[in-house]
Amino acid sequence: MPRVVVVGLNAGRSSVNPWSSGLLALKMPSVRPGDFLLFRWFGQMRDVQQFPNQQAYDICDFTRADPVGPRRFFGLDLYLVRKEEHGKTLYFGSSVKKECKKGVKAQVYVR
């Protein structure tokens, strides 16, 4: 059965994995193909983009990143983990106002 793994701010529940500087990758659970990542935030202009690789993620290079959803003041963007992503690490971040360099990014392993 597919799960929904929430990545977001101000949720106040243990099932939510907050965007946070340098620690998010350690806190994020692994996901399976068919699961959903739900990116959520409130009160700040943000977007969610998927990086093509770890190098782009590490330096917050959005040149070849794909948008998961549009820029907006609050958001709920849903990402379906695809079968062909099995065994890979997925990389996401916000391209707005250098948010990525402030830690608004996430990496998730697909098991």
Side-chain angles (χ1 to χ4, degrees):
M1 172 174 266
R3 297 177 306 152
V4 175
V5 177
V6 180
V7 182
L9 295 171
N10 303 326
R13 297 189 338 225
S14 61
S15 63
V16 173
N17 302 283
W19 302 85
S20 63
S21 299
L23 299 176
L24 187 58
L26 300 176
K27 294 180 181 180
M28 287 297 299
S30 60
V31 296
R32 298 179 298 264
D35 286 349
F36 292 91
L37 295 173
L38 177 63
F39 294 90
R40 87 179 226 183
W41 66 94
F42 302 98
Q44 296 182 53
M45 182 63 74
R46 285 209 171 117
D47 65 356
V48 177
Q49 295 198 32
Q50 183 177 14
F51 294 104
N53 55 47
Q54 184 174 359
Q55 181 181 0
Y57 170 84
D58 288 345
I59 64 172
C60 297
D61 178 4
F62 290 92
T63 306
R64 294 184 11 234
D66 292 320
V68 173
R71 286 185 182 198
R72 54 185 166 220
F73 192 65
F74 64 91
L76 291 170
D77 288 330
L78 199 60
Y79 180 85
L80 173 63
V81 179
R82 300 182 307 269
K83 191 178 350 179
E84 60 269 16
E85 294 172 326
H86 178 267
K88 296 181 180 178
T89 300
L90 307 178
Y91 303 97
F92 301 93
S94 174
S95 69
V96 177
K97 294 183 182 177
K98 301 186 183 196
E99 287 284 312
C100 180
K101 292 198 183 266
K102 295 176 186 175
V104 182
K105 59 184 183 176
Q107 55 182 310
V108 181
Y109 179 71
V110 182
R111 56 184 168 106

